[in-house]
Amino acid sequence: MTTQNTHLHIDGVSKNFGDVKALSDIDLKIERGSFVCLLGPSGCGKTTLLRIIAGFETASRGRLMLDGSDIAQIPPHKRGFGMVFQSLALFPHMSVARNIAYGLKLRGVSGKEQRNRVEELLNVIQLPSIADRPVSALSGGQRQRVAIARALAIQPKLFLLDEPLSALDAKLRDNMQIELRQLQQKFGVTTILVTHDQHEAMMLADELVVLKDGAVRQAAAPSVVYQQPADSFVADFLGAANLIDAGAYKSGEIELLGTSSKFATHHPEGTRLQAAVRAEHIQLLPVSAAGHAPVGTVAFMRDLGPATELIVDVGRERLRVRCPNTECQGLEIGTQVAVVLDPAHMSVFNAA
């Protein structure tokens, strides 16, 4: 990421609440016009970080640099950021148009400009005929769109979202994710979204920032985080990889599932390791074609539509496997299969 195109630099930010360390030395450079997702389990610090960016919390240490200027002392209402939170915080006594225009009115924008901007945004969110409707009369999805339109009305320097879609049902949420991404691309606004939903993060983000215990574990493009996780936590959190006990073996090989596998590793012989393998990167073959591959037993199967998911027991390990239906024909619970792991799709970490 080039320094010249850095829009927001979160420079060594830490946050303590008494003796509790909520954030520890966060250093991120967010590119102009990018969509960044802060992802992690509950309590990892992602919402605290967003609140510091918004100005609702003050960092214990570190700086927030927007276009090269420190904004730590600028109050939230003067930062020029658009914000959408889980509660949406729409004004129920106001019409849709007045809600969207609220930030413009506070900034002294003329009535004509307010009306033009409201009309433009209602067309963008595909709700052109609801300007005079009370917010209380809207559906959940319509409220989400109005909240997003209100945040975008002021042409914000940053667009901040804290799990704004979490209350929606699955189908509506999926539709809103698509609309949100399209809106962000249309306006080109630098966007930071907090979510614990891995699918949402993978779908929306240009960059994923995975946090745990107040620290960044990995920050990279979604495909990189998925295919090349930085550690076993990231591998398991994003997409629930199989974590298999392994050990460093001679000549740069590792030993797992009772067999040795060619895998270049710098760990000294005898080091305890964990190998991370995605469910879709495990191949099942007939035992007659096993060769030196470990053999396991199918313990569970379920149809996922275009694919079948299986649990295969190999010694003390339980492996989750996902394969196209055409490759799972003839398999049933109790069938013995050869388990083939592709080193090209395997990540290895120190077990410690």
Side-chain angles (χ1 to χ4, degrees):
M1 197 175 292
T2 60
T3 303
Q4 291 84 349
N5 206 30
T6 298
H7 192 186
L8 177 70
H9 183 190
I10 302 165
D11 183 11
V13 165
S14 297
K15 177 65 177 179
N16 299 329
F17 292 103
D19 294 332
V20 177
K21 182 171 283 190
L23 294 172
S24 179
D25 197 28
I26 304 295
D27 198 313
L28 295 168
K29 291 181 179 179
I30 294 176
E31 194 170 315
R32 188 178 311 280
S34 64
F35 198 126
V36 175
C37 283
L38 306 180
L39 178 69
S42 297
C44 71
K46 54 189 185 293
T47 294
T48 298
L49 180 56
L50 194 76
R51 288 177 62 81
I52 288 173
I53 295 168
F56 299 130
E57 297 283 356
T58 303
S60 303
R61 290 185 305 281
R63 301 183 302 168
L64 279 178
M65 307 296 291
L66 186 72
D67 292 325
S69 298
D70 193 335
I71 62 170
Q73 302 306 314
I74 299 176
H77 65 282
K78 292 187 176 180
R79 295 192 180 189
F81 298 168
M83 289 168 275
V84 180
F85 297 102
Q86 190 172 346
S87 63
L88 302 184
L90 294 171
F91 301 116
H93 61 287
M94 291 184 182
S95 67
V96 167
R98 288 178 65 198
N99 264 280
I100 294 174
Y102 184 76
L104 299 172
K105 183 179 179 181
L106 291 181
R107 286 161 175 77
V109 175
S110 70
K112 181 180 179 181
E113 286 181 83
Q114 289 181 40
R115 289 190 293 274
N116 289 343
R117 185 67 172 155
V118 169
E119 182 180 356
E120 175 194 1
L121 283 163
L122 284 174
N123 281 317
V124 167
I125 64 172
Q126 301 177 28
L127 295 172
S129 59
I130 67 165
D132 298 323
R133 195 174 299 179
V135 166
S136 58
L138 303 182
S139 68
Q142 289 173 329
R143 287 195 190 98
Q144 297 287 345
R145 293 185 200 179
V146 171
I148 290 168
R150 183 177 68 176
L152 292 173
I154 63 170
Q155 297 177 315
K157 297 173 185 175
L158 289 178
F159 188 27
L160 309 177
L161 304 106
D162 189 1
E163 306 210 48
L165 310 181
S166 60
L168 301 180
D169 65 60
K171 181 172 175 56
L172 182 55
R173 182 171 183 158
D174 187 65
N175 290 337
M176 283 301 303
Q177 287 166 354
I178 294 169
E179 290 188 19
L180 179 59
R181 183 57 165 149
Q182 289 178 323
L183 283 170
Q184 187 270 337
Q185 291 173 328
K186 176 180 174 64
F187 287 97
V189 60
T190 306
T191 299
I192 304 173
L193 169 74
V194 161
T195 182
H196 64 272
D197 186 314
Q198 302 153 31
H199 172 77
E200 183 168 277
M202 290 288 292
M203 174 185 169
L204 292 172
D206 296 308
E207 182 175 25
L208 282 185
V209 178
V210 183
L211 295 106
K212 184 189 180 191
D213 298 332
V216 174
R217 303 297 285 262
Q218 189 168 6
S223 60
V224 173
V225 177
Y226 188 81
Q227 300 292 351
Q228 302 168 40
D231 56 32
S232 57
F233 167 76
V234 175
D236 192 42
F237 185 77
L238 194 74
N242 293 290
L243 296 177
I244 307 169
D245 288 336
Y249 194 53
K250 62 185 178 183
S251 305
E253 297 179 9
I254 64 170
E255 185 174 10
L256 73 167
L257 301 178
T259 63
S260 62
S261 175
K262 293 286 185 183
F263 188 92
T265 175
H266 63 276
H267 295 93
E269 185 173 351
T271 305
R272 290 180 57 249
L273 305 172
Q274 276 190 320
V277 187
R278 301 287 179 193
E280 63 272 23
H281 292 148
I282 298 177
Q283 186 180 13
L284 302 180
L285 297 175
V287 172
S288 58
H292 297 293
V295 173
T297 303
V298 176
F300 175 80
M301 297 179 68
R302 64 174 174 172
D303 190 343
L304 300 180
T308 298
E309 186 173 76
L310 306 94
I311 301 295
V312 179
D313 291 335
V314 185
R316 292 179 298 175
E317 300 283 357
R318 301 207 92 187
L319 305 182
R320 190 182 295 264
V321 181
R322 189 176 299 119
C323 61
N325 288 335
T326 53
E327 295 180 14
C328 294
Q329 292 178 356
L331 294 182
E332 57 186 29
I333 293 174
T335 302
Q336 286 201 310
V337 288
V339 177
V340 179
L341 308 179
D342 183 355
H345 294 289
M346 189 187 303
S347 301
V348 175
F349 313 109
N350 195 309

